[in-house]
Amino acid sequence: MKDSIPIPHEWYQPGDLLIGGTAFLSLYHFHELTFDGHPSQELLKVPHMLTKFYQHVLALVFAVNEINENPKILSNVTLGFHIYDSYSDLRMAYRTTMDMLFKLHRYFPNYECDTRKNLMAVIGGLGSDISLCMANILRLYKILQLPYGSFAPKERDATQVTSFIHMIPNESPQYMGIIWLLQHFGWRWVGLFAADDDDGEHFLQVLEPLLSRNGICLDFTERILNREHLNSFHVLVDSVSNIYVPLIDSKANTFILYGDTKTIGALNTLLLIGNLKYKEITSFRKVWVMTAQLDFVLSGLQKGWDFEFFHGALVFRIHSKELLEFQKFFQDIKPPGKQGDGFFKDFWEQAFDCTFSSAMEPMDVNDSCTGEEKLESLPGSAFEIHTTGHSYSIYNAVYAIGHALQLIDSSRSKQRLMTGGQRAELQDVSPWQIRPFLQGILFNNSAGETISFNDNREMGARLNIMNFVTFPNKSFKMVKVGRVDPSGVEGKEFMIHENLIVWPRSFNMEDCIKCPEDQHPRTEGDRCVPKTLQFLSYQEILGITLTAVALSFSLITFWVLAVFITHQDTPIVKANNRDITYALLISLLLCFLCSLLFIGRPGQMTCSIQQSAFSIIFSAAVSCVLAKTITVVVAFMATKPGSNIRKWVGKRLANFIVLSCSLIEAAICIVWLGTSPPFPDSDSHSLTREIIVQCNEGSAVLFYISLGYLGLLSLVSLSVAFLARHLPDSFNEAKFITFSMLVFCSVWVSFIPTYLSTKGKYMVAVEVFSILASGAGLLICIFSPKCYIIVLRPELNNREQLIRRKKY
């Protein structure tokens, strides 16, 4: 108690009210004591400082000084601060927290031996372990604590620490951000790396089922020891093996890394040891996705290394905005540093790899610090010149405390005016009195953002998505490429700008992998994306057009049939075999309607009946045409004297032709459907970016037999009509049938090469067009002259016209 271990690294600035700061995530690594000498001597020789986090210290100092210079906030009091380091060690965190509460010269718990310190709140720590350690003491003394690190939800729910006011939301938004990111890019095969601690275990327990529920497969899970635990050769060898095996053998295209700064430092060390020449290994050069607590920091022996293994990573970061005055503040920092800054000397020496001269120790002139060194010249692993998310949160925390104190002062002033009492000094405020004012705070910071806390005593849940880009000179930069905002304040919960992303080098097609059959590579060649389904749809222009044409011809055919039925007793209708005419019109109507079976996504029912229905209906139509032609020929041949063909004249011959020809086609289709029916199928090979959803004919032989028989009927009808073309004209259909069958055959002859040269929905469209064109040819060529006479020239529809002969 009398001769305790001194804590050399602190920064104290006096004030009427004090803000404490601690646990800036191990600016120094605390080593195990050896008991070879006085503990204070060993502590003073701690070698490594994480210089990058010195900005956290500066953010608190800058915010306090800015408030003190602002006459609109706490004009009657001065804020001070007392900043300690936790040394990333729970014992030292307890010690420095006690110092923060009681130390002026020596400390005695539960006794106020010196002037009382007006400590209003403490900002810290960064990790959950240090923060909870501090809370064990601070809540006993009713001191509010504002951690600026992201905790697992379990840490908050389990402890119910009422003294916490969180500057950063819990990790739940990161979990959903990871899922949204994986789903956006179609990454369905991932590997997980997590710190080997309680937080890492909780992360795995939450994320593994979340991945499963969202259809994302987990290839492996691996835990990473922190560097201080890699203290033996066997542990080191085992860790290298445990890391390298899944990296090299994994087929996952994405690795997710959870932990803190020490975790990524340990992983980088293991990767370097496992690959001593530090060559790029393309077999595990995949995309890394990293959580917000990770930071790219190099110190000590690692300062000459780089983070090349993680080039192109997508990293979640605490939301921040640039504080321009803050940049000017730390750029003006020069030796010997600010008054009372116990961090500055070690920061400057280790950041710039130099030493301040001392009269007691001779030194090389080349190694001495000149004071002309520039913070802007430091790499990002040593110091950030931009405002980091954690520094931004610390800045907002100081201002939140300041505004809460201002509200208390204003409230007391109003109460004094109402009661006429004496003014109460703000120095008499109990730290616990700040809590309700702090929870309800609402103000705009200097960056123009509104600062407030939700019902869970948390700041807003926004996260930035950064792209980690490395350069040959071992430097790197972080580029904002997206954001996660579960509240949807800015319009979208998730947003990513793919065009801004720099991908891992081997991910840009140096190592090519074949996409699955249902996927295709993007134009950029950086990933596989699902193929779209292609079929002739009712929703697209081509499908709508063909449907409209089919329905139009169906209506026209129905109208023609109605005209013929209405005028069924007139000579022109009787002379052309009414029954066969009706059968032909009904067949044409069904032909136009059956074309609709080919439009829309193929199903089991439509595939089974579309080709059979088309074949049977068209064979019936062509059979009717053949029957009409033969009837005309037989009728004129029967008029010759002594002809024996007279007995064939009548309906029986026509009906026999129609039924027999149609039944043959029906028999072929029945055999086809009974042995190898058509079925819905997909073709993922013919087109690069689309999967063709189509009907497979089943038996190609029976399919072509069916079409061949239909072609044979058409040729017979064309031949017979051609031979009858010179018969007398009046009401003779031979010429019209000849022309209609010529159109019909021309359509289907041109159909064959066109059909075989197209793919996908255009192949179906060709068949539908051929059905409509050939049916329209029969309808127009055969029935338009008759409709013209029936509707427009009824005077020609008489018996005299029927028996008139052509005069030569």
Side-chain angles (χ1 to χ4, degrees), residues 330-531:
F330 66 68
Q331 287 174 358
D332 291 338
I333 293 176
K334 297 290 182 183
K338 302 290 184 180
Q339 183 179 359
D341 185 357
F343 301 95
F344 179 81
K345 181 177 181 296
D346 287 330
F347 162 73
W348 200 269
E349 288 183 340
Q350 295 193 36
F352 294 104
D353 200 17
C354 64
T355 306
F356 288 108
S357 60
S358 172
M360 301 296 295
E361 299 179 6
M363 58 178 297
D364 189 343
V365 177
N366 294 329
D367 294 333
S368 62
C369 299
T370 65
E372 299 301 320
E373 295 85 2
K374 301 290 186 183
L375 291 177
E376 307 93 274
S377 66
L378 292 174
S381 59
F383 192 81
E384 285 274 6
I385 61 172
H386 300 289
T387 308
T388 66
H390 291 124
S391 295
Y392 187 68
S393 299
I394 294 169
Y395 175 84
N396 288 330
V398 174
Y399 263 90
I401 296 169
H403 279 280
L405 291 170
Q406 179 67 38
L407 288 176
I408 293 175
D409 191 41
S410 300
S411 176
R412 286 185 169 188
S413 297
K414 291 179 181 179
Q415 187 175 6
R416 180 175 59 83
L417 290 174
M418 294 176 62
T419 60
Q422 294 183 349
R423 175 181 177 84
E425 296 296 332
L426 199 57
Q427 290 89 330
D428 297 329
V429 172
S430 167
W432 202 247
Q433 290 180 273
I434 302 176
R435 180 184 172 188
F437 291 91
L438 191 58
Q439 289 180 215
I441 205 72
L442 180 66
F443 67 94
N444 290 336
N445 64 13
S446 61
E449 285 200 317
T450 301
I451 304 300
S452 62
F453 297 96
N454 59 25
D455 295 337
N456 296 323
R457 305 192 304 277
E458 295 177 344
M459 197 69 78
R462 285 177 294 175
L463 296 168
N464 294 336
I465 302 176
M466 313 297 288
N467 186 208
F468 182 73
V469 183
T470 63
F471 300 98
N473 63 357
K474 299 186 179 181
S475 64
F476 65 83
K477 70 174 180 179
M478 303 282 279
V479 180
K480 183 178 178 181
V481 295
R483 70 166 184 265
V484 175
D485 184 7
S487 63
V489 173
E490 298 184 20
K492 291 184 178 180
E493 294 181 331
F494 173 82
M495 186 179 69
I496 192 80
H497 300 287
E498 295 185 40
N499 58 312
L500 299 179
I501 298 176
V502 177
W503 297 104
R505 293 178 180 87
S506 60
F507 200 69
N508 294 324
M509 301 310 287
E510 290 180 11
D511 281 346
C512 294
I513 59 172
K514 185 177 181 181
C515 291
E517 288 188 354
D518 61 343
Q519 297 181 6
H520 70 89
R522 293 203 319 159
T523 305
E524 294 81 1
D526 53 4
R527 64 185 175 94
C528 299
V529 295
K531 292 182 177 180

Side-chain angles (χ1 to χ4, degrees), residues 33-50:
L33 300 179
T34 63
F35 299 94
D36 292 335
H38 195 281
S40 63
Q41 300 302 316
E42 294 187 39
L43 185 61
L44 288 171
K45 294 179 181 178
V46 174
H48 302 311
M49 181 184 201
L50 302 181

Side-chain angles (χ1 to χ4, degrees), residues 196-229:
D196 191 15
D197 55 23
D198 291 342
D199 288 343
E201 184 63 30
H202 178 266
F203 173 77
L204 296 177
Q205 291 177 0
V206 172
L207 195 63
E208 287 178 4
L210 199 59
L211 292 172
S212 178
R213 289 198 298 269
N214 287 275
I216 300 170
C217 299
L218 180 59
D219 187 19
F220 67 86
T221 298
E222 194 59 51
R223 291 164 177 80
I224 302 173
L225 292 173
N226 288 334
R227 274 186 301 181
E228 53 263 34
H229 296 120

Side-chain angles (χ1 to χ4, degrees), residues 182 185-189 216 253-254 287 289 314 503 507 527:
L182 297 176
F185 287 108
W187 296 330
R188 300 289 179 182
W189 197 242
I216 300 170
N253 50 19
T254 309
V287 176
V289 176
L314 296 176
W503 297 104
F507 200 69
R527 64 185 175 94

Side-chain angles (χ1 to χ4, degrees), residues 491-621:
K492 291 184 178 180
E493 294 181 331
F494 173 82
M495 186 179 69
I496 192 80
H497 300 287
E498 295 185 40
N499 58 312
L500 299 179
I501 298 176
V502 177
W503 297 104
R505 293 178 180 87
S506 60
F507 200 69
N508 294 324
M509 301 310 287
E510 290 180 11
D511 281 346
C512 294
I513 59 172
K514 185 177 181 181
C515 291
E517 288 188 354
D518 61 343
Q519 297 181 6
H520 70 89
R522 293 203 319 159
T523 305
E524 294 81 1
D526 53 4
R527 64 185 175 94
C528 299
V529 295
K531 292 182 177 180
T532 56
L533 300 180
Q534 189 206 75
F535 55 89
L536 187 58
S537 169
Y538 285 106
Q539 281 74 41
E540 60 182 307
I541 297 299
L542 183 58
I544 293 173
T545 302
L546 292 175
T547 301
V549 172
L551 293 177
S552 299
F553 278 116
S554 298
L555 292 174
I556 294 173
T557 305
F558 184 82
W559 176 78
V560 172
L561 179 61
V563 169
F564 270 68
I565 292 174
T566 303
H567 300 84
Q568 60 181 338
D569 294 325
T570 59
I572 196 170
V573 176
K574 290 181 178 180
N576 290 280
N577 197 328
R578 284 181 299 188
D579 295 337
I580 298 299
T581 298
Y582 296 159
L584 177 57
L585 286 171
I586 293 173
S587 298
L588 290 177
L589 176 62
L590 294 177
C591 285
F592 293 130
L593 293 177
C594 83
S595 65
L596 300 178
L597 294 173
F598 292 83
I599 305 175
R601 181 168 183 170
Q604 185 63 51
M605 181 62 70
T606 55
C607 286
S608 298
I609 66 175
Q610 64 179 205
Q611 293 291 354
S612 299
F614 156 72
S615 299
I616 294 173
I617 293 172
F618 254 80
S619 66

